[in-house]
Amino acid sequence: MKFYNKLISWYLQNKRTLPWRETKNPYFIWLSEIMLQQTRVAQGLAYYLKFTETFPTVFDLAKADESTVLKMWQGLGYYSRARNLHYSAKHIANELNGEFPSTYKEIIKLKGIGDYTASAIASICFNEPTAVVDGNVYRVLSRYFGISTAINSTAGIKEFKTIAQSLIDKKQPGTYNQAIMDFGALHCKPQNPLCDSCPFANSCVAFEKKLTKALPVKEKKIKIRKRYFNFLVIKTNNNKTILSERKGKGIWQGLYEFPLIETEQIINKNELISNQYFTDLFPNETTISLFNKKEIVHKLSHQHLYTQFWIVETKSLENATISWESIQDFPVPILISNFLEEFQPKN
DNA sequence: CACGCGTGGGT
DNA sequence: TACCCAAGCGT
């Protein structure tokens, strides 16, 4: 029996029922694929439902402000996905007359869509036999064939793509692609794979050689940078505050935050008020209190943010124009969102 | 092309 | 605890 027959047979008996599996509308498939990049189904599902309800067509998404899109994306992370999604929605609506491109070659030209996503959309929506290679596929193939080439090396990326392409069922590429990913997610799991009940147990190299735990091989591990953030949560006597949009290349681009003083280490109140930026911002008298007695450690994939929220009360400021009631309309990082939840509980 | 980009769950 | 992992992509 061919690899794909065994795989699809497993899939038809074990696949998850998911809303994006009930459609071949490329706009919906696109949405789901972007949301699920580096993201678990359990986390992305609610966002998918919210997006498809609020933006039922690509035109609705294209019409929205980027800030609105980011607000809906808030909490899902990797916010460049949302910005690129919105950018491409405008491109499709305005330049392509709302028609989603229908071949791998055209789909991959869209911003935010790479080899994986183009393959997924082309196969699922347009029946084009282009194999997806995601984290699940790397794991399944490296184990099944006993391949120890690092999955994040240039050689590995090429090797696994070639193998994946050679295994695809050309008559039902979309089903095949989803099958191998679901198999990886549910059966050939990173930890504790279900080898005892595996349909591939009699032909899996890793199972035979007891290499399951050693595969796939991944090179390098990331370095974590420590940063020290001091947010100035301003409350003027006319009940306004300051929020500003993060620009540039770093984290949280396009999201909003309180005025930020970044330091080399944890600081105390005296060090705060002697900071140049602080004295420039507050020429007048202030009342300062530290909201969190112990610094909050917010962990991103490459950074640990040791964070202090300073409540600064002062008389009215020219720059302080944001009313406290309107803060909830701005897209903010989870770190800020969690703070606001504690500082100003709803209801 | 090696690196940076979020958040949450699991061990 | 400190890792690892999750339907990757842009630069």
Side-chain angles (χ1 to χ4, degrees), chain A residues 62-80:
Chain A
K63 273 186 291 187
D65 293 333
E66 182 181 279
S67 181
T68 303
V69 177
L70 283 169
K71 184 66 191 180
M72 298 212 2
W73 200 272
Q74 181 178 307
L76 201 50
Y78 284 157
Y79 297 95
S80 65

Side-chain angles (χ1 to χ4, degrees), chain A residues 127-141:
Chain A
N127 226 34
E128 186 176 338
T130 49
V132 296
V133 183
D134 73 333
N136 294 305
V137 176
Y138 281 124
R139 187 169 54 257
V140 172
L141 297 185

Side-chain angles (χ1 to χ4, degrees), chain A residues 118-225:
Chain A
S119 300
I121 297 172
S123 64
I124 294 168
C125 303
F126 304 106
N127 226 34
E128 186 176 338
T130 49
V132 296
V133 183
D134 73 333
N136 294 305
V137 176
Y138 281 124
R139 187 169 54 257
V140 172
L141 297 185
S142 69
R143 285 175 177 169
Y144 183 77
F145 292 104
I147 299 168
S148 52
T149 314
I151 61 172
N152 56 347
S153 67
T154 306
I157 292 167
K158 206 176 161 188
E159 182 177 357
F160 283 99
K161 178 75 182 181
T162 302
I163 295 169
Q165 193 60 38
S166 74
L167 294 170
I168 198 168
D169 182 351
K170 292 185 177 178
K171 289 179 182 158
Q172 39 183 339
T175 301
Y176 169 85
N177 276 336
Q178 294 187 79
I180 194 167
M181 290 191 286
D182 246 21
F183 181 72
L186 302 175
H187 203 104
C188 192
K189 301 181 292 178
Q191 274 89 33
N192 309 314
L194 311 176
C195 299
D196 291 339
S197 64
C198 183
F200 296 106
N202 64 358
S203 48
C204 176
V205 173
F207 182 63
E208 181 195 343
K209 297 187 176 175
K210 301 191 187 306
L211 289 173
T212 309
K213 291 182 85 169
L215 295 173
V217 172
K218 204 170 183 177
E219 286 179 341
K220 317 159 199 164
K221 60 169 199 174
I222 60 174
K223 280 185 199 164
I224 303 292
R225 178 158 69 119

